[in-house]
Amino acid sequence: MHCWVQVSSSDIDGAPPQPRSGHSAVNIGNSKVVIFGGLVDKKFLGDVVVYDTENKLWFEPECTGGGSDGQVGPGPRAFHVAVSIDCHMFIFGGRYGNRRLGDFWVLDTDIWQWSELTSFGDLPSPRDFAASSAIGNRKIVMYGGWDGTKWLSDVFVLDTISLEWMELPVSGSLPPPRCGHTATMVEKRLLVFGGRGGGGPIMGDFWALKGLLEEENEAPGWTQLKLPGQAPSPRCGHTTTSAGHHLLVFGGHGTGGWLSRYDIYYNDCVVLDRISVQWKRILVSNEPPPARAYHSMTSVGSRYLLFGGFDGKSTFGDLWWLVPEDDPISKRPSTILPKELSETEDSSAENNKISSSVKESQSTESVISELMKRLKIPGTANGLELQIVEELEDKEFLELASTLARERFSAEGITQNQAAQALREHWRTSNPISIPLKHLGPLLRDYQRLIARHLISDESSASSLTGQEEFHFYHVKNASQLRMDDIPKLLAEYRQLPRE
């Protein structure tokens, strides 16, 4: 079991990085996380911001060095690749405006000095949305990307000592060209997941590339892996983070089914367990951060650090820890007290009111938490931040109910309550394929409304259930977060809810 904890000012010193997406974040040993570049409000960034993991301190180093144009470091960019080897962070490519970049830089994080590198051999073309990983402590492998006209499927290996690039000759079956994927070196293989491919489809395939280690004397070749378990849905712009015997896939975006005209952003956690060699969903005890893509996720000890990203509308600057349930910060109280008190009231009396209300709230939460555990509703009672909309305030719900009533009943004078019940019966008996796109928002809100009304608030209604029910979508804030295969599950859970 894991828990999401938003980083607070008590966790860190210094100024954290400004909001951004499309940036890079790499671990330098066990002591630093280095963030570079990114994009916010159409502005490309070129700053370096560092998290000192030992001192829990954010800072911006004063970098020196220079390049061919006389600038101190690489120009602003996003969607580049970044790889760390020892104390060095290597940067290649990315995008600035509509221009794809092909320059190559290294930052020495011991002395904070940039150097532009002149490499030779089979030079990769300028590109963005590629993916790369370190091979041991000397080489870097890079796969795929987008050059502005086509998706790429080439594989390049760089020797960071000789600065020679080599395009890897790969025979046999090849993955479709792609960008926005992840590539992670695990022992002898490069593992590639997801991305957007030729023609635009978002993919959920998983590939392994062998032949990257000279001592193995293997011919380079791809193998598509089809592993058991709950694999991540197709996506791009996600992260894959290696920690221990797990590979953690988080976030990203995709499209699907009823919502094919929209991007669907994810905030789920799926791990590849390298011991059992299968996909598993991480059990999280509370509500996750908002869904996003083009964020960063790095491992810091037993924790994962999430930063930034984009959800199609907003660029994030929030920081979150994903921690095991035995981590001390997982027990942090989440009861929120009023920010300020009225100056006209006696502060002592007001403090007594607050103390009393908190105790009452905690008592209520303990009952609600037990019910939520029985009903297998994700999250915690004190994490119920979802705004439940009542029927009379849900205009879309009322309009659908009224339209359905006019179509099905010739009699005049049907009440709003009767129309609402007719719409609910219609949904209960509908085939998932027949649910129109415009029904999904009202359906999701009514599902959450009925859970809040009859199961969380009314213990007597909850006691009539068998205990086998599960409710997975209570904390979904918007229908755009639903996947195509979620719709039948949502309807099945809706049918289990008590009738009005």
Side-chain angles (χ1 to χ4, degrees):
M1 184 74 74
H2 282 68
C3 176
W4 283 105
V5 180
Q6 188 162 11
V7 177
S8 71
S9 57
S10 62
D11 295 329
I12 57 174
D13 290 319
Q18 70 180 94
R20 66 190 70 201
S21 65
H23 56 284
S24 59
V26 301
N27 290 91
I28 303 294
N30 297 318
S31 63
K32 303 184 190 80
V33 174
V34 181
I35 290 174
F36 170 72
L39 174 68
V40 59
D41 296 331
K42 300 182 180 180
K43 178 185 178 183
F44 288 83
L45 305 174
D47 56 343
V48 175
V49 190
V50 182
Y51 179 56
D52 181 331
T53 60
E54 295 174 351
N55 297 306
K56 300 180 180 179
L57 171 69
W58 285 100
F59 67 95
E60 291 192 38
E62 294 185 12
C63 297
T64 61
S68 57
D69 294 334
Q71 75 270 33
V72 170
R77 68 192 64 208
F79 312 116
H80 50 282
V81 297
V83 176
S84 63
I85 294 181
D86 296 328
C87 65
H88 297 101
M89 177 177 72
F90 293 88
I91 298 289
F92 176 80
R95 189 174 87 199
Y96 177 73
N98 293 322
R99 182 164 57 95
R100 274 77 197 173
L101 306 173
D103 52 345
F104 182 36
W105 292 78
V106 63
L107 176 64
D108 185 331
T109 65
D110 280 346
I111 57 176
W112 300 113
Q113 183 177 70
W114 282 108
S115 300
E116 185 174 11
L117 301 177
T118 302
S119 50
F120 65 98
D122 305 321
L123 300 180
S125 59
R127 65 190 66 198
D128 57 8
F129 296 106
S132 62
S133 186
I135 307 174
N137 61 358
R138 176 167 176 166
K139 294 184 178 181
I140 293 172
V141 57
M142 181 173 69
Y143 166 69
W146 167 253
D147 67 2
T149 59
K150 63 181 180 298
W151 286 268
L152 304 170
S153 60
D154 44 10
V155 180
F156 289 90
V157 175
L158 169 73
D159 186 315
T160 62
I161 304 300
S162 67
L163 298 182
E164 179 179 8
W165 287 97
M166 179 187 70
E167 183 171 4
L168 200 68
V170 184
S171 59
S173 60
L174 303 175
R178 69 192 63 209
C179 68
H181 51 287
T182 55
T184 311
M185 195 71 190
V186 176
E187 297 180 355
K188 303 175 184 179
R189 301 287 187 265
L190 181 72
L191 302 181
V192 171
F193 172 71
R196 185 187 293 274
I202 292 178
M203 296 178 285
D205 50 351
F206 190 44
W207 293 78
L209 175 64
K210 67 176 184 178
L212 293 170
L213 301 181
E214 293 179 0
E215 57 269 26
E216 293 298 319
N217 197 28
E218 288 182 308
W222 287 101
T223 301
Q224 186 171 3
L225 304 178
K226 296 184 178 180
L227 304 181
Q230 294 178 289
S233 58
R235 63 189 67 197
C236 65
H238 55 285
T239 49
T240 300
T241 309
S242 180
H245 62 274
H246 284 153
L247 286 181
L248 171 67
V249 176
F250 174 79
H253 70 96
T255 57
W258 291 267
L259 306 176
S260 59
R261 73 184 81 173
Y262 302 108
D263 279 338
I264 305 170
Y265 287 80
Y266 299 117
N267 57 359
D268 54 343
C269 295
V270 188
V271 296
L272 173 61
D273 188 320
R274 291 165 50 197
I275 295 177
S276 62
V277 195
Q278 62 179 326
W279 292 106
K280 297 179 180 179
R281 297 274 167 174
I282 281 190
L283 295 177
V284 178
S285 63
N286 60 347
E287 186 176 358
R292 65 193 68 199
Y294 308 109
H295 52 280
S296 62
M297 180 84 92
T298 49
S299 62
V300 180
S302 62
R303 302 174 177 178
Y304 296 92
L305 179 62
L306 168 66
F307 169 65
F310 182 70
D311 68 353
K313 297 179 181 178
S314 303
T315 299
F316 294 102
D318 50 350
L319 289 153
W320 293 79
W321 292 114
L322 178 63
V323 302
E325 62 179 347
D326 59 356
D327 191 295
I329 67 170
S330 71
K331 307 299 188 293
R332 179 182 294 164
S334 56
T335 301
I336 301 174
L337 298 179
K339 292 183 180 179
E340 58 184 30
L341 303 177
S342 170
E343 296 179 358
T344 61
E345 294 183 343
D346 178 76
S347 60
S348 176
E350 190 63 25
N351 285 337
N352 289 335
K353 290 180 183 178
I354 292 172
S355 177
S356 175
S357 65
V358 168
K359 290 179 181 178
E360 182 180 350
S361 171
Q362 289 173 339
S363 175
T364 303
E365 285 168 2
S366 66
V367 175
I368 293 175
S369 295
E370 287 302 313
L371 283 172
M372 292 180 70
K373 288 178 183 178
R374 284 176 50 199
L375 299 170
K376 301 178 184 177
I377 297 173
T380 59
N382 53 21
L384 291 175
E385 300 174 358
L386 194 71
Q387 295 298 314
I388 301 299
V389 181
E390 293 301 322
E391 288 97 326
L392 295 180
E393 298 174 357
D394 193 335
K395 293 183 179 179
E396 285 185 285
F397 178 83
L398 292 177
E399 288 175 1
L400 287 178
S402 176
T403 301
L404 181 69
R406 287 196 301 268
E407 292 174 351
R408 292 199 170 188
F409 305 103
S410 58
E412 297 291 334
I414 186 171
T415 66
Q416 283 187 331
N417 182 59
Q418 290 172 323
Q421 298 316 312
L423 178 59
R424 286 173 175 141
E425 282 304 310
H426 170 71
W427 282 336
R428 290 177 191 276
T429 57
S430 290
N431 186 305
I433 298 176
S434 68
I435 298 291
L437 174 65
K438 65 180 181 180
H439 282 221
L440 293 181
L443 172 60
L444 176 64
R445 291 193 296 275
D446 198 50
Y447 162 91
Q448 294 163 338
R449 184 160 50 234
L450 295 177
I451 290 177
R453 181 180 300 162
H454 295 292
L455 302 186
I456 295 179
S457 300
D458 185 352
E459 186 175 5
S460 63
S461 294
S463 65
S464 66
L465 297 176
T466 66
Q468 302 301 312
E469 296 85 353
E470 296 187 32
F471 299 100
H472 299 91
F473 305 100
Y474 183 77
H475 287 297
V476 176
K477 292 185 177 181
N478 192 292
S480 64
Q481 294 176 261
L482 295 172
R483 301 190 314 230
M484 180 176 67
D485 58 356
D486 287 333
I487 311 303
K489 299 174 187 175
L490 175 63
L491 271 181
E493 294 178 14
Y494 186 80
R495 294 180 185 120
Q496 295 177 19
L497 294 170
R499 284 176 163 81
E500 290 283 83

